[in-house]
Amino acid sequence: MPDNVVDYDVLRDILEEGLPLLGEHLALVITAMVIAAAIAIPLGILVAHTRRWRALATGIAGIGQTIPSLALFGFLIPLPLIGGIGAHTAIVALVLYAVLPILRNTITGIQGVDPAVRDSAVAMGMTRAQMLRLVELPLAAPVILSGLRIATVATIGTATIAAAIGAGGLGVFIFRGIASVDKWQILAGAIPSALLALCADAGIGWLEKRCASS
Amino acid sequence: MSLIEFHRVGFQIGPKVILRELNLTVEAGETLVLLGRSGSGKTTALRLINGMLFPTSGQVVVSERPTTEWDAVALKRSIGYVIQESGLFPHFTVGRNVGLQPELAGWPKEKIGERVRTLLRTVSLDPDEFLARYPRQLSGGQRQRVGVARALAADPGILLFDEPFGALDPVTRLDLQREFPRLVTELGKTAVFVTHDVREAMKLGTRIALLEAGCLVFAGTPGEFQMCGHPEARAFQEVFRDAG
């Protein structure tokens, strides 16, 4: 059969296998993003006002970013508890990658609050918690969401490599396709992950705009 | 009765002295203008009154109690504060901005609504037109009016103004300068007003305190200020005369 003709049996097989892989991919990304946000946003809030802590936190978070993703997966495999083959190791690596953009944007967002607005809040007798809830977080929200968007899009891409350490996801198609020189398999992994990244970018971007205009 | 008293107040950040040996009183019902060049310590002095800053030596007494002995939140909520560019919360409507302090103090919703409408009328803004607007939908003058309304929200006895009209165009500034004394007198407030504009000081102050490099060099009525022979006072007098 000519190479460019679609074999419907292959397509059906891809679809049957693809849905669970898409589910795995989403699970990897969502779990990693929830954990990364739960670490980076509170940490960003805590360190935003102190230069020394700010530098330390972004410095440590930046270390993860400097290691190439495949190498990082490799580094993690031999480690006890967080390492090994499978999804949990991949999630650790994805979290390490996602923390920095969220952390950096949380710090930038909180620091970006107009000093006059902050002064007004202090002069009004707001407590630290009220200031955070009523002033800093709402005003920093678009910038924090922008960090979440960047991190999510990158995580969707990096998660395809997680298949190399047995974490599943759409990367399974890509790696298998490369190994067997099967472009349909490669596309079956590449197209949905690209669409997923575009949807995440548009969806979170829409939230960002809504926050910025309210 | 002195509502605010500075007793040998000093303030420094590290080795940098901002205020030294400041002795000053503000009587109930008066408008004291803190006049001085940029960096003379005016804003620092203002912030020592509502506990945004605390003296590094001496003490500031508000309503017969040193600021260090006040509950920090209670002190701030008993004093209204208006700053340049108004410092309105950009994500809140005019109504929420003005009603925020009563909301924080736990007032019931209907009472807050009523208070906000009254205050907007006090600063010559029609509540029906302005309540739902956001600060970005207001002119500079309107923003300052809302800033004043917000400072008045919890009915404080003392109002602090930190160059509130500094960023306004001259016509709007003149409008607000004309309205300001009426508002303060009618509402029976005590006001401390920071400015580097001597014309504004002469127009608004019942008393003027002149600061130079963190030291008080003059305190008295606008009439007395014009007679003062201190070189810094003469520099400001010259500006006043030149402005006609």
Side-chain angles (χ1 to χ4, degrees):
Chain A
M1 193 165 65
D3 197 35
N4 56 351
V5 174
V6 177
D7 181 334
Y8 287 100
D9 286 340
V10 171
L11 198 63
R12 198 184 54 239
D13 289 349
I14 284 175
L15 271 177
E16 264 173 22
E17 199 187 353
L19 281 174
L21 289 179
L22 178 67
E24 280 174 18
H25 202 92
L26 276 172
L28 275 177
V29 171
I30 291 169
T31 312
M33 289 312 300
V34 169
I35 297 171
I39 295 169
I41 296 174
L43 184 64
I45 292 166
L46 273 176
V47 302
H49 296 299
T50 322
R51 192 189 302 172
R52 193 186 304 166
W53 290 112
R54 217 161 49 216
L56 188 70
T58 48
I60 291 171
I63 294 171
Q65 294 266 318
T66 58
I67 306 169
S69 47
L70 200 53
L72 183 60
F73 286 128
F75 282 136
L76 288 174
I77 288 174
L79 293 182
L81 295 173
I82 57 167
I85 295 286
H88 65 284
T89 310
I91 287 168
V92 171
L94 295 177
V95 168
L96 287 177
Y97 276 111
V99 161
L100 186 65
I102 308 173
L103 176 71
R104 214 161 26 200
N105 277 42
T106 304
I107 293 172
T108 308
I110 301 262
Q111 280 189 302
V113 173
D114 181 355
V117 168
R118 206 187 290 280
D119 277 352
S120 292
V122 172
M124 208 174 249
M126 278 193 199
T127 60
R128 188 73 198 89
Q130 285 168 336
M131 167 105 101
L132 189 65
R133 181 170 57 85
L134 293 167
V135 181
E136 289 178 328
L137 279 181
L139 289 176
V143 186
I144 297 174
L145 278 171
S146 160
L148 273 171
R149 181 172 54 80
I150 294 163
T152 307
V153 171
T155 302
I156 290 169
T158 313
T160 54
I161 304 171
I165 57 161
L170 293 165
V172 169
F173 276 139
I174 299 174
F175 279 104
R176 197 195 295 152
I178 292 169
S180 56
V181 200
D182 178 349
K183 72 175 177 191
W184 298 113
Q185 292 263 349
I186 296 173
L187 289 176
I191 292 173
S193 48
L195 286 176
L196 211 56
L198 286 172
C199 289
D201 189 53
I204 305 174
W206 176 79
L207 265 179
E208 226 175 290
K209 281 203 190 82
R210 269 200 62 154
C211 272
S213 63
S214 66
Chain B
M1 187 189 81
S2 295
L3 205 53
I4 304 163
E5 297 165 30
F6 284 75
H7 294 295
R8 303 189 64 186
V9 170
F11 185 82
Q12 58 187 83
I13 302 170
K16 196 178 174 205
V17 178
I18 314 286
L19 286 176
R20 60 182 93 217
E21 294 282 318
L22 182 63
N23 288 300
L24 188 66
T25 56
V26 185
E27 306 299 320
E30 77 170 337
T31 298
L32 176 85
V33 174
L34 290 169
L35 177 67
R37 304 179 195 218
S38 301
S40 59
K42 316 181 287 290
T43 296
T44 302
L46 197 73
R47 289 175 175 213
L48 288 166
I49 298 171
N50 68 348
M52 286 173 82
L53 296 172
F54 292 99
T56 42
S57 62
Q59 61 179 12
V60 179
V61 178
V62 174
S63 301
E64 298 177 334
R65 204 187 318 166
T67 51
T68 45
E69 288 175 17
W70 272 83
D71 170 71
V73 172
L75 176 64
K76 290 187 184 87
R77 290 194 182 160
S78 67
I79 298 175
Y81 187 73
V82 185
I83 52 177
Q84 196 173 33
E85 298 282 3
S86 76
L88 294 180
F89 302 121
H91 55 308
F92 288 162
T93 60
V94 165
R96 182 98 198 270
N97 261 290
V98 177
L100 190 57
Q101 193 150 18
E103 183 188 317
L104 294 175
W107 288 24
K109 234 178 178 171
E110 309 78 58
K111 202 176 155 199
I112 296 174
E114 221 172 274
R115 178 81 180 142
V116 169
R117 297 182 83 83
T118 310
L119 284 168
L120 287 179
R121 277 192 288 268
T122 306
V123 296
S124 310
L125 293 174
D126 176 10
D128 294 325
E129 192 183 339
F130 288 96
L131 260 178
R133 287 203 197 174
Y134 283 91
R136 63 176 178 274
Q137 298 167 316
L138 305 175
S139 70
Q142 288 163 347
R143 271 201 289 273
Q144 282 312 110
R145 287 171 193 275
V146 175
V148 173
R150 185 175 65 173
L152 290 167
D155 200 19
I158 301 170
L159 292 173
L160 307 180
F161 295 86
D162 191 358
E163 307 206 33
F165 310 144
L168 300 177
D169 66 81
V171 179
T172 310
R173 185 190 304 189
L174 191 64
D175 267 356
L176 287 174
Q177 284 172 345
R178 279 184 184 138
E179 270 183 59
F180 173 84
R182 173 191 65 80
L183 200 70
V184 173
T185 317
E186 269 177 23
L187 297 172
K189 305 292 179 193
T190 304
V192 182
F193 195 107
V194 161
T195 185
H196 57 247
D197 180 349
V198 63
R199 287 163 297 171
E200 193 165 69
M202 298 292 279
K203 204 176 293 176
L204 303 183
T206 51
R207 241 163 23 103
I208 294 172
L210 180 63
L211 290 171
E212 185 192 18
C215 296
L216 180 73
V217 296
F218 167 83
T221 64
E224 288 164 349
F225 177 74
Q226 280 186 299
M227 312 300 288
C228 177
H230 189 281
E232 184 69 355
R234 286 166 71 166
F236 276 98
Q237 287 159 11
E238 202 172 318
V239 175
F240 185 63
R241 273 195 300 272
D242 277 0

